[in-house]
Amino acid sequence: MTEFSKKTVKDAEILHFQKDSAEWWDEKGAFAPLHKLNPVRIKFMRDEMISHFDLGAPTRDILKGLDILDIGCGGGLVCEPLTRLGGQVTGIDADSQAIDIATTHAKTHNLNITYTCTTSEVLSTQKKKYDVVCALEILEHVDDPQFFIKTCLACLKPNGLLLLSTLNRTPKSFLQGIIAAEYLLRWVPKGTHHWSQFLKPSELRRFLKEEGFDINSLKGISYNILKKDFHISDKDLSTNYILSARHI
Amino acid sequence: MITMKQDIIIIGAGPAGLSFARAMAETGLNIILLEKQPESVLANPSYDGREIALTHLSHRIMKDLGMWTLIPDQYISLIKKAKVLNGVSPYTLNFDHAESGEDNLGFMVSNQNIRKAAYNSLSGFKNIQIMDKTEVSAVGTDQDKGWVELSDGQRLEAPLIVAADSRFSATRRMMGISTSMLDFGRTCVVCTMSAELPHHETAYECFHFGRTLAVLPLNNNQVSIVITLKSEESETLLSLSKEAFAEDIKTRMEERFGEMELTSELFPYPLVATFANSFHKNRFVLIGDAAVGMHPVTAHGFNLGLRGAHSLANEIKETLNIGGDFSSHMILERYSRQHRRTSAPLYHGTNALVKLYTKETPTAKLARRVLLRLGNHIAPAKRLIMNQLTEIKTTGF
């Protein structure tokens, strides 16, 4: 497994996020947009898991029995809801401060989540495999996305489900994701994103296909300026998008 | 680690608090209602003279919540027509259920029966507990929880605190939420009367002589009387003999009901409208009159409270379905934004109407005449008013 000795995470990226780690759970703080985005992406993820694993009508512990890995979990914004829905969740992040925050927050809220400060390339060599692997808003921060996806897939059980979300590389995403979000609205700190690192869905699909996987469902996430809310869009993939992928 | 027995603490088991608890009941969350009065009073509330005009939206929500079927049919009266009268002018603004496409414009149910049904609708839900004869002496919230201190020294904690403790909410004040209040310097006097001639299920709203008088149809040819008048005049009214009072109403209604007889005592209520400047603050949220306390003239009070309780419950349920934190700022903010958008125009509109109809200046008189005619002749205006009052087409919940 020598190829997994490569690194997926940039040190500069870790440092960038560490500055704001304490604010992970502040709904009005540095991660406010993620808090707003969260209900939309959790709903998509829940529904994808329901249909992939044939779980039936949604109940409050619909994800019971699923082993879920969240890569780049940050303060645990995704791990906590998935745990409340019954999932057995493991969250990993290269930023140890974020892991500390996540661990404390889960404890305060009586949630049983396994948090570890590690990376997907380390986990991918381990025996333990997962029903679901998620990496949300992470791809745009890794050095080598193709390699990163490989490590994600290596963490999956056979018939596992991969859930990814990221930013598209389009003129609109440059305007919205960088100019608007970082400079005009100051939603996220300057330097959070590098447009050239954004991936097109077609590029992602190519990476997946090379590993014998394919996109199962692909949706856009659009922002409504008037309603100040994110929503799932079937057509508009130009900025944020989210997808599920499974073995062909 | 914080261990909390409750998920939600509701302060006040009035109609709004009880309806909210009922709307949350099926989620299985552990809910505790704190109430000053003994539970026996909640189970058997006494008659307070208030007959509530329920809109179609309230009817739908109460059906959803299993409250409607708990009200015996004979206690539900229908309003099929409504007339607005201005002073002594014979000109009236008319609403008819036939124009609305529904069998009726609204439903009349006493506050007593609403409270009873709301209380009974909770029976069988083990996750809902009522702590009666309980006074809250302090309330507060921090990053992870809300807490309540009771006058007996007990302390309760929960992720979310819902205040439904009247328009003069003490806990709203304790949380430092400021509130706009409008004291009309007027008193509302309510009672029921029997009428000799049939009321044809018609509601009358009469604006005259600095007073407003509403006559609302009840079953068995009874009517609910709602008078608003200057507080200093209310003393005189309240001291009238039964016969003199009946004679006064009969004359004011130009004998259209024939002989009238008082069938309840007279219940006076001071008229103060309130609007909280914020509906929420970290893990603390206002519903019912604690959020918006309406002037009763347009009959929006309980309807609005019910709608708010229902929309907060819906926000919370949606959050639970995706594993979210139901006490988060985002959820309370969303409820708050929605409920402010619904209630602010009604609140300010009603207050403006009240001013217009209690002023006796020539301009006010002219404006009233014009409004009435506009209302009758401009179809969209009429439809708008009708939907405001009946909420037939309101689906926004």
PDB file of all heavy atoms in Angstrom, chain A residues 81-115:
ATOM      1  N   PRO A  81     -25.939  15.379  13.709  1.00  0.00           N
ATOM      2  CA  PRO A  81     -27.266  14.992  13.207  1.00  0.00           C
ATOM      3  C   PRO A  81     -27.342  13.532  12.757  1.00  0.00           C
ATOM      4  O   PRO A  81     -28.338  12.855  13.015  1.00  0.00           O
ATOM      5  CB  PRO A  81     -27.503  15.918  12.011  1.00  0.00           C
ATOM      6  CG  PRO A  81     -26.433  16.920  12.010  1.00  0.00           C
ATOM      7  CD  PRO A  81     -25.424  16.578  13.046  1.00  0.00           C
ATOM      8  N   LEU A  82     -26.285  13.027  12.119  1.00  0.00           N
ATOM      9  CA  LEU A  82     -26.318  11.634  11.660  1.00  0.00           C
ATOM     10  C   LEU A  82     -26.375  10.679  12.854  1.00  0.00           C
ATOM     11  O   LEU A  82     -27.005   9.627  12.796  1.00  0.00           O
ATOM     12  CB  LEU A  82     -25.105  11.325  10.776  1.00  0.00           C
ATOM     13  CG  LEU A  82     -25.023  12.103   9.452  1.00  0.00           C
ATOM     14  CD1 LEU A  82     -23.812  11.647   8.638  1.00  0.00           C
ATOM     15  CD2 LEU A  82     -26.301  11.956   8.627  1.00  0.00           C
ATOM     16  N   THR A  83     -25.740  11.071  13.960  1.00  0.00           N
ATOM     17  CA  THR A  83     -25.803  10.263  15.175  1.00  0.00           C
ATOM     18  C   THR A  83     -27.206  10.296  15.766  1.00  0.00           C
ATOM     19  O   THR A  83     -27.752   9.270  16.166  1.00  0.00           O
ATOM     20  CB  THR A  83     -24.787  10.783  16.210  1.00  0.00           C
ATOM     21  OG1 THR A  83     -23.500  10.813  15.596  1.00  0.00           O
ATOM     22  CG2 THR A  83     -24.740   9.901  17.439  1.00  0.00           C
ATOM     23  N   ARG A  84     -27.804  11.508  15.801  1.00  0.00           N
ATOM     24  CA  ARG A  84     -29.172  11.613  16.326  1.00  0.00           C
ATOM     25  C   ARG A  84     -30.136  10.770  15.514  1.00  0.00           C
ATOM     26  O   ARG A  84     -31.134  10.282  16.025  1.00  0.00           O
ATOM     27  CB  ARG A  84     -29.639  13.069  16.314  1.00  0.00           C
ATOM     28  CG  ARG A  84     -29.091  13.869  17.466  1.00  0.00           C
ATOM     29  CD  ARG A  84     -29.918  15.115  17.720  1.00  0.00           C
ATOM     30  NE  ARG A  84     -29.094  16.114  18.360  1.00  0.00           N
ATOM     31  CZ  ARG A  84     -28.394  17.029  17.682  1.00  0.00           C
ATOM     32  NH1 ARG A  84     -28.464  17.081  16.374  1.00  0.00           N
ATOM     33  NH2 ARG A  84     -27.634  17.882  18.318  1.00  0.00           N
ATOM     34  N   LEU A  85     -29.831  10.600  14.241  1.00  0.00           N
ATOM     35  CA  LEU A  85     -30.704   9.784  13.398  1.00  0.00           C
ATOM     36  C   LEU A  85     -30.400   8.292  13.527  1.00  0.00           C
ATOM     37  O   LEU A  85     -30.925   7.485  12.786  1.00  0.00           O
ATOM     38  CB  LEU A  85     -30.579  10.225  11.934  1.00  0.00           C
ATOM     39  CG  LEU A  85     -31.203  11.578  11.585  1.00  0.00           C
ATOM     40  CD1 LEU A  85     -30.871  11.987  10.161  1.00  0.00           C
ATOM     41  CD2 LEU A  85     -32.717  11.547  11.762  1.00  0.00           C
ATOM     42  N   GLY A  86     -29.529   7.940  14.478  1.00  0.00           N
ATOM     43  CA  GLY A  86     -29.309   6.530  14.778  1.00  0.00           C
ATOM     44  C   GLY A  86     -28.017   5.953  14.214  1.00  0.00           C
ATOM     45  O   GLY A  86     -27.669   4.804  14.496  1.00  0.00           O
ATOM     46  N   GLY A  87     -27.290   6.710  13.404  1.00  0.00           N
ATOM     47  CA  GLY A  87     -26.062   6.205  12.808  1.00  0.00           C
ATOM     48  C   GLY A  87     -24.944   6.004  13.826  1.00  0.00           C
ATOM     49  O   GLY A  87     -24.893   6.686  14.850  1.00  0.00           O
ATOM     50  N   GLN A  88     -24.051   5.044  13.524  1.00  0.00           N
ATOM     51  CA  GLN A  88     -22.857   4.821  14.349  1.00  0.00           C
ATOM     52  C   GLN A  88     -21.745   5.600  13.657  1.00  0.00           C
ATOM     53  O   GLN A  88     -21.216   5.148  12.645  1.00  0.00           O
ATOM     54  CB  GLN A  88     -22.556   3.314  14.380  1.00  0.00           C
ATOM     55  CG  GLN A  88     -21.480   2.922  15.357  1.00  0.00           C
ATOM     56  CD  GLN A  88     -21.928   3.160  16.792  1.00  0.00           C
ATOM     57  OE1 GLN A  88     -23.030   2.765  17.174  1.00  0.00           O
ATOM     58  NE2 GLN A  88     -21.101   3.847  17.563  1.00  0.00           N
ATOM     59  N   VAL A  89     -21.430   6.789  14.168  1.00  0.00           N
ATOM     60  CA  VAL A  89     -20.626   7.714  13.382  1.00  0.00           C
ATOM     61  C   VAL A  89     -19.193   7.862  13.892  1.00  0.00           C
ATOM     62  O   VAL A  89     -18.947   7.950  15.098  1.00  0.00           O
ATOM     63  CB  VAL A  89     -21.293   9.110  13.325  1.00  0.00           C
ATOM     64  CG1 VAL A  89     -20.499  10.063  12.438  1.00  0.00           C
ATOM     65  CG2 VAL A  89     -22.732   8.991  12.822  1.00  0.00           C
ATOM     66  N   THR A  90     -18.252   7.873  12.947  1.00  0.00           N
ATOM     67  CA  THR A  90     -16.861   8.180  13.239  1.00  0.00           C
ATOM     68  C   THR A  90     -16.508   9.452  12.473  1.00  0.00           C
ATOM     69  O   THR A  90     -16.798   9.562  11.288  1.00  0.00           O
ATOM     70  CB  THR A  90     -15.928   7.048  12.753  1.00  0.00           C
ATOM     71  OG1 THR A  90     -16.326   5.833  13.400  1.00  0.00           O
ATOM     72  CG2 THR A  90     -14.471   7.339  13.073  1.00  0.00           C
ATOM     73  N   GLY A  91     -15.917  10.400  13.162  1.00  0.00           N
ATOM     74  CA  GLY A  91     -15.511  11.633  12.489  1.00  0.00           C
ATOM     75  C   GLY A  91     -14.004  11.786  12.555  1.00  0.00           C
ATOM     76  O   GLY A  91     -13.404  11.591  13.614  1.00  0.00           O
ATOM     77  N   ILE A  92     -13.382  12.099  11.415  1.00  0.00           N
ATOM     78  CA  ILE A  92     -11.933  12.331  11.441  1.00  0.00           C
ATOM     79  C   ILE A  92     -11.622  13.691  10.830  1.00  0.00           C
ATOM     80  O   ILE A  92     -12.331  14.189   9.966  1.00  0.00           O
ATOM     81  CB  ILE A  92     -11.136  11.228  10.694  1.00  0.00           C
ATOM     82  CG1 ILE A  92     -11.502  11.209   9.202  1.00  0.00           C
ATOM     83  CG2 ILE A  92     -11.366   9.868  11.321  1.00  0.00           C
ATOM     84  CD1 ILE A  92     -10.509  10.442   8.355  1.00  0.00           C
ATOM     85  N   ASP A  93     -10.558  14.299  11.361  1.00  0.00           N
ATOM     86  CA  ASP A  93     -10.118  15.579  10.818  1.00  0.00           C
ATOM     87  C   ASP A  93      -8.630  15.705  11.104  1.00  0.00           C
ATOM     88  O   ASP A  93      -8.132  15.217  12.117  1.00  0.00           O
ATOM     89  CB  ASP A  93     -10.879  16.732  11.461  1.00  0.00           C
ATOM     90  CG  ASP A  93     -10.890  17.975  10.565  1.00  0.00           C
ATOM     91  OD1 ASP A  93      -9.810  18.574  10.374  1.00  0.00           O
ATOM     92  OD2 ASP A  93     -11.968  18.324  10.052  1.00  0.00           O
ATOM     93  N   ALA A  94      -7.926  16.385  10.197  1.00  0.00           N
ATOM     94  CA  ALA A  94      -6.480  16.560  10.373  1.00  0.00           C
ATOM     95  C   ALA A  94      -6.189  17.666  11.389  1.00  0.00           C
ATOM     96  O   ALA A  94      -5.074  17.783  11.880  1.00  0.00           O
ATOM     97  CB  ALA A  94      -5.843  16.887   9.033  1.00  0.00           C
ATOM     98  N   ASP A  95      -7.213  18.454  11.699  1.00  0.00           N
ATOM     99  CA  ASP A  95      -7.047  19.563  12.634  1.00  0.00           C
ATOM    100  C   ASP A  95      -7.401  19.095  14.053  1.00  0.00           C
ATOM    101  O   ASP A  95      -8.557  18.837  14.360  1.00  0.00           O
ATOM    102  CB  ASP A  95      -7.967  20.700  12.176  1.00  0.00           C
ATOM    103  CG  ASP A  95      -8.037  21.855  13.166  1.00  0.00           C
ATOM    104  OD1 ASP A  95      -7.340  21.799  14.202  1.00  0.00           O
ATOM    105  OD2 ASP A  95      -8.791  22.806  12.900  1.00  0.00           O
ATOM    106  N   SER A  96      -6.385  18.974  14.914  1.00  0.00           N
ATOM    107  CA  SER A  96      -6.613  18.419  16.246  1.00  0.00           C
ATOM    108  C   SER A  96      -7.502  19.332  17.093  1.00  0.00           C
ATOM    109  O   SER A  96      -8.252  18.874  17.948  1.00  0.00           O
ATOM    110  CB  SER A  96      -5.280  18.179  16.952  1.00  0.00           C
ATOM    111  OG  SER A  96      -4.627  19.421  17.148  1.00  0.00           O
ATOM    112  N   GLN A  97      -7.410  20.636  16.839  1.00  0.00           N
ATOM    113  CA  GLN A  97      -8.269  21.560  17.609  1.00  0.00           C
ATOM    114  C   GLN A  97      -9.739  21.324  17.295  1.00  0.00           C
ATOM    115  O   GLN A  97     -10.585  21.333  18.192  1.00  0.00           O
ATOM    116  CB  GLN A  97      -7.910  23.011  17.280  1.00  0.00           C
ATOM    117  CG  GLN A  97      -6.634  23.449  17.967  1.00  0.00           C
ATOM    118  CD  GLN A  97      -6.319  24.919  17.680  1.00  0.00           C
ATOM    119  OE1 GLN A  97      -7.203  25.683  17.325  1.00  0.00           O
ATOM    120  NE2 GLN A  97      -5.074  25.294  17.835  1.00  0.00           N
ATOM    121  N   ALA A  98     -10.028  21.096  16.023  1.00  0.00           N
ATOM    122  CA  ALA A  98     -11.417  20.829  15.631  1.00  0.00           C
ATOM    123  C   ALA A  98     -11.900  19.550  16.294  1.00  0.00           C
ATOM    124  O   ALA A  98     -13.032  19.479  16.785  1.00  0.00           O
ATOM    125  CB  ALA A  98     -11.534  20.717  14.113  1.00  0.00           C
ATOM    126  N   ILE A  99     -11.040  18.527  16.324  1.00  0.00           N
ATOM    127  CA  ILE A  99     -11.409  17.256  16.953  1.00  0.00           C
ATOM    128  C   ILE A  99     -11.702  17.460  18.438  1.00  0.00           C
ATOM    129  O   ILE A  99     -12.665  16.906  18.975  1.00  0.00           O
ATOM    130  CB  ILE A  99     -10.282  16.199  16.730  1.00  0.00           C
ATOM    131  CG1 ILE A  99     -10.253  15.775  15.260  1.00  0.00           C
ATOM    132  CG2 ILE A  99     -10.454  14.986  17.649  1.00  0.00           C
ATOM    133  CD1 ILE A  99     -11.493  15.028  14.758  1.00  0.00           C
ATOM    134  N   ASP A 100     -10.904  18.305  19.105  1.00  0.00           N
ATOM    135  CA  ASP A 100     -11.155  18.594  20.523  1.00  0.00           C
ATOM    136  C   ASP A 100     -12.515  19.253  20.708  1.00  0.00           C
ATOM    137  O   ASP A 100     -13.293  18.891  21.594  1.00  0.00           O
ATOM    138  CB  ASP A 100     -10.068  19.532  21.085  1.00  0.00           C
ATOM    139  CG  ASP A 100      -8.744  18.797  21.266  1.00  0.00           C
ATOM    140  OD1 ASP A 100      -8.757  17.543  21.204  1.00  0.00           O
ATOM    141  OD2 ASP A 100      -7.712  19.474  21.442  1.00  0.00           O
ATOM    142  N   ILE A 101     -12.790  20.239  19.871  1.00  0.00           N
ATOM    143  CA  ILE A 101     -14.072  20.955  19.950  1.00  0.00           C
ATOM    144  C   ILE A 101     -15.221  19.968  19.722  1.00  0.00           C
ATOM    145  O   ILE A 101     -16.195  19.945  20.460  1.00  0.00           O
ATOM    146  CB  ILE A 101     -14.148  22.049  18.850  1.00  0.00           C
ATOM    147  CG1 ILE A 101     -13.026  23.054  19.022  1.00  0.00           C
ATOM    148  CG2 ILE A 101     -15.534  22.696  18.803  1.00  0.00           C
ATOM    149  CD1 ILE A 101     -13.292  24.173  19.964  1.00  0.00           C
ATOM    150  N   ALA A 102     -15.064  19.148  18.674  1.00  0.00           N
ATOM    151  CA  ALA A 102     -16.117  18.187  18.331  1.00  0.00           C
ATOM    152  C   ALA A 102     -16.358  17.218  19.477  1.00  0.00           C
ATOM    153  O   ALA A 102     -17.514  16.931  19.831  1.00  0.00           O
ATOM    154  CB  ALA A 102     -15.731  17.434  17.063  1.00  0.00           C
ATOM    155  N   THR A 103     -15.283  16.713  20.081  1.00  0.00           N
ATOM    156  CA  THR A 103     -15.399  15.741  21.166  1.00  0.00           C
ATOM    157  C   THR A 103     -16.149  16.356  22.345  1.00  0.00           C
ATOM    158  O   THR A 103     -17.068  15.750  22.898  1.00  0.00           O
ATOM    159  CB  THR A 103     -13.997  15.268  21.617  1.00  0.00           C
ATOM    160  OG1 THR A 103     -13.279  14.862  20.455  1.00  0.00           O
ATOM    161  CG2 THR A 103     -14.078  14.123  22.592  1.00  0.00           C
ATOM    162  N   THR A 104     -15.754  17.555  22.733  1.00  0.00           N
ATOM    163  CA  THR A 104     -16.397  18.223  23.873  1.00  0.00           C
ATOM    164  C   THR A 104     -17.870  18.484  23.583  1.00  0.00           C
ATOM    165  O   THR A 104     -18.743  18.251  24.427  1.00  0.00           O
ATOM    166  CB  THR A 104     -15.706  19.580  24.155  1.00  0.00           C
ATOM    167  OG1 THR A 104     -14.305  19.359  24.136  1.00  0.00           O
ATOM    168  CG2 THR A 104     -16.135  20.149  25.481  1.00  0.00           C
ATOM    169  N   HIS A 105     -18.139  18.969  22.381  1.00  0.00           N
ATOM    170  CA  HIS A 105     -19.524  19.325  22.045  1.00  0.00           C
ATOM    171  C   HIS A 105     -20.431  18.095  22.076  1.00  0.00           C
ATOM    172  O   HIS A 105     -21.536  18.145  22.611  1.00  0.00           O
ATOM    173  CB  HIS A 105     -19.586  19.996  20.675  1.00  0.00           C
ATOM    174  CG  HIS A 105     -20.865  20.727  20.430  1.00  0.00           C
ATOM    175  ND1 HIS A 105     -21.958  20.141  19.833  1.00  0.00           N
ATOM    176  CD2 HIS A 105     -21.249  21.990  20.742  1.00  0.00           C
ATOM    177  CE1 HIS A 105     -22.945  21.019  19.782  1.00  0.00           C
ATOM    178  NE2 HIS A 105     -22.543  22.150  20.317  1.00  0.00           N
ATOM    179  N   ALA A 106     -19.941  16.991  21.525  1.00  0.00           N
ATOM    180  CA  ALA A 106     -20.741  15.760  21.501  1.00  0.00           C
ATOM    181  C   ALA A 106     -21.015  15.288  22.928  1.00  0.00           C
ATOM    182  O   ALA A 106     -22.125  14.857  23.249  1.00  0.00           O
ATOM    183  CB  ALA A 106     -20.030  14.685  20.708  1.00  0.00           C
ATOM    184  N   LYS A 107     -20.006  15.390  23.781  1.00  0.00           N
ATOM    185  CA  LYS A 107     -20.168  14.964  25.177  1.00  0.00           C
ATOM    186  C   LYS A 107     -21.228  15.807  25.866  1.00  0.00           C
ATOM    187  O   LYS A 107     -22.097  15.286  26.546  1.00  0.00           O
ATOM    188  CB  LYS A 107     -18.833  15.117  25.920  1.00  0.00           C
ATOM    189  CG  LYS A 107     -18.266  13.794  26.378  1.00  0.00           C
ATOM    190  CD  LYS A 107     -17.043  14.031  27.248  1.00  0.00           C
ATOM    191  CE  LYS A 107     -16.168  12.791  27.252  1.00  0.00           C
ATOM    192  NZ  LYS A 107     -14.825  13.084  27.758  1.00  0.00           N
ATOM    193  N   THR A 108     -21.145  17.119  25.682  1.00  0.00           N
ATOM    194  CA  THR A 108     -22.113  18.025  26.313  1.00  0.00           C
ATOM    195  C   THR A 108     -23.525  17.705  25.852  1.00  0.00           C
ATOM    196  O   THR A 108     -24.491  17.952  26.570  1.00  0.00           O
ATOM    197  CB  THR A 108     -21.829  19.490  25.922  1.00  0.00           C
ATOM    198  OG1 THR A 108     -20.447  19.619  25.663  1.00  0.00           O
ATOM    199  CG2 THR A 108     -22.245  20.439  26.993  1.00  0.00           C
ATOM    200  N   HIS A 109     -23.640  17.201  24.648  1.00  0.00           N
ATOM    201  CA  HIS A 109     -24.971  16.925  24.130  1.00  0.00           C
ATOM    202  C   HIS A 109     -25.328  15.440  24.171  1.00  0.00           C
ATOM    203  O   HIS A 109     -26.232  14.997  23.469  1.00  0.00           O
ATOM    204  CB  HIS A 109     -25.116  17.492  22.715  1.00  0.00           C
ATOM    205  CG  HIS A 109     -25.133  18.991  22.720  1.00  0.00           C
ATOM    206  ND1 HIS A 109     -23.989  19.750  22.802  1.00  0.00           N
ATOM    207  CD2 HIS A 109     -26.168  19.865  22.725  1.00  0.00           C
ATOM    208  CE1 HIS A 109     -24.322  21.030  22.831  1.00  0.00           C
ATOM    209  NE2 HIS A 109     -25.627  21.126  22.782  1.00  0.00           N
ATOM    210  N   ASN A 110     -24.587  14.701  25.007  1.00  0.00           N
ATOM    211  CA  ASN A 110     -24.901  13.275  25.211  1.00  0.00           C
ATOM    212  C   ASN A 110     -24.917  12.455  23.926  1.00  0.00           C
ATOM    213  O   ASN A 110     -25.760  11.585  23.755  1.00  0.00           O
ATOM    214  CB  ASN A 110     -26.262  13.112  25.891  1.00  0.00           C
ATOM    215  CG  ASN A 110     -26.196  13.472  27.349  1.00  0.00           C
ATOM    216  OD1 ASN A 110     -25.171  13.221  28.000  1.00  0.00           O
ATOM    217  ND2 ASN A 110     -27.246  14.073  27.861  1.00  0.00           N
ATOM    218  N   LEU A 111     -24.007  12.761  23.010  1.00  0.00           N
ATOM    219  CA  LEU A 111     -23.973  12.004  21.766  1.00  0.00           C
ATOM    220  C   LEU A 111     -22.717  11.147  21.729  1.00  0.00           C
ATOM    221  O   LEU A 111     -21.629  11.608  22.058  1.00  0.00           O
ATOM    222  CB  LEU A 111     -23.993  12.960  20.568  1.00  0.00           C
ATOM    223  CG  LEU A 111     -25.275  13.780  20.417  1.00  0.00           C
ATOM    224  CD1 LEU A 111     -25.068  14.910  19.425  1.00  0.00           C
ATOM    225  CD2 LEU A 111     -26.439  12.898  19.983  1.00  0.00           C
ATOM    226  N   ASN A 112     -22.899   9.892  21.322  1.00  0.00           N
ATOM    227  CA  ASN A 112     -21.788   8.952  21.307  1.00  0.00           C
ATOM    228  C   ASN A 112     -21.172   8.901  19.901  1.00  0.00           C
ATOM    229  O   ASN A 112     -21.674   8.224  19.023  1.00  0.00           O
ATOM    230  CB  ASN A 112     -22.320   7.582  21.747  1.00  0.00           C
ATOM    231  CG  ASN A 112     -21.193   6.592  21.948  1.00  0.00           C
ATOM    232  OD1 ASN A 112     -20.016   6.984  22.038  1.00  0.00           O
ATOM    233  ND2 ASN A 112     -21.528   5.322  21.983  1.00  0.00           N
ATOM    234  N   ILE A 113     -20.091   9.650  19.736  1.00  0.00           N
ATOM    235  CA  ILE A 113     -19.435   9.725  18.431  1.00  0.00           C
ATOM    236  C   ILE A 113     -17.945   9.452  18.624  1.00  0.00           C
ATOM    237  O   ILE A 113     -17.350   9.922  19.583  1.00  0.00           O
ATOM    238  CB  ILE A 113     -19.624  11.134  17.804  1.00  0.00           C
ATOM    239  CG1 ILE A 113     -21.110  11.474  17.676  1.00  0.00           C
ATOM    240  CG2 ILE A 113     -18.928  11.230  16.437  1.00  0.00           C
ATOM    241  CD1 ILE A 113     -21.395  12.908  17.281  1.00  0.00           C
ATOM    242  N   THR A 114     -17.357   8.699  17.688  1.00  0.00           N
ATOM    243  CA  THR A 114     -15.916   8.451  17.763  1.00  0.00           C
ATOM    244  C   THR A 114     -15.182   9.510  16.950  1.00  0.00           C
ATOM    245  O   THR A 114     -15.376   9.593  15.738  1.00  0.00           O
ATOM    246  CB  THR A 114     -15.575   7.062  17.164  1.00  0.00           C
ATOM    247  OG1 THR A 114     -16.488   6.110  17.702  1.00  0.00           O
ATOM    248  CG2 THR A 114     -14.151   6.667  17.456  1.00  0.00           C
ATOM    249  N   TYR A 115     -14.379  10.327  17.611  1.00  0.00           N
ATOM    250  CA  TYR A 115     -13.608  11.338  16.896  1.00  0.00           C
ATOM    251  C   TYR A 115     -12.122  11.007  16.968  1.00  0.00           C
ATOM    252  O   TYR A 115     -11.604  10.693  18.035  1.00  0.00           O
ATOM    253  CB  TYR A 115     -13.840  12.725  17.503  1.00  0.00           C
ATOM    254  CG  TYR A 115     -15.171  13.351  17.132  1.00  0.00           C
ATOM    255  CD1 TYR A 115     -16.130  13.594  18.106  1.00  0.00           C
ATOM    256  CD2 TYR A 115     -15.443  13.706  15.815  1.00  0.00           C
ATOM    257  CE1 TYR A 115     -17.352  14.179  17.777  1.00  0.00           C
ATOM    258  CE2 TYR A 115     -16.659  14.287  15.476  1.00  0.00           C
ATOM    259  CZ  TYR A 115     -17.609  14.528  16.460  1.00  0.00           C
ATOM    260  OH  TYR A 115     -18.799  15.102  16.124  1.00  0.00           O
TER     261      TYR A 115
END
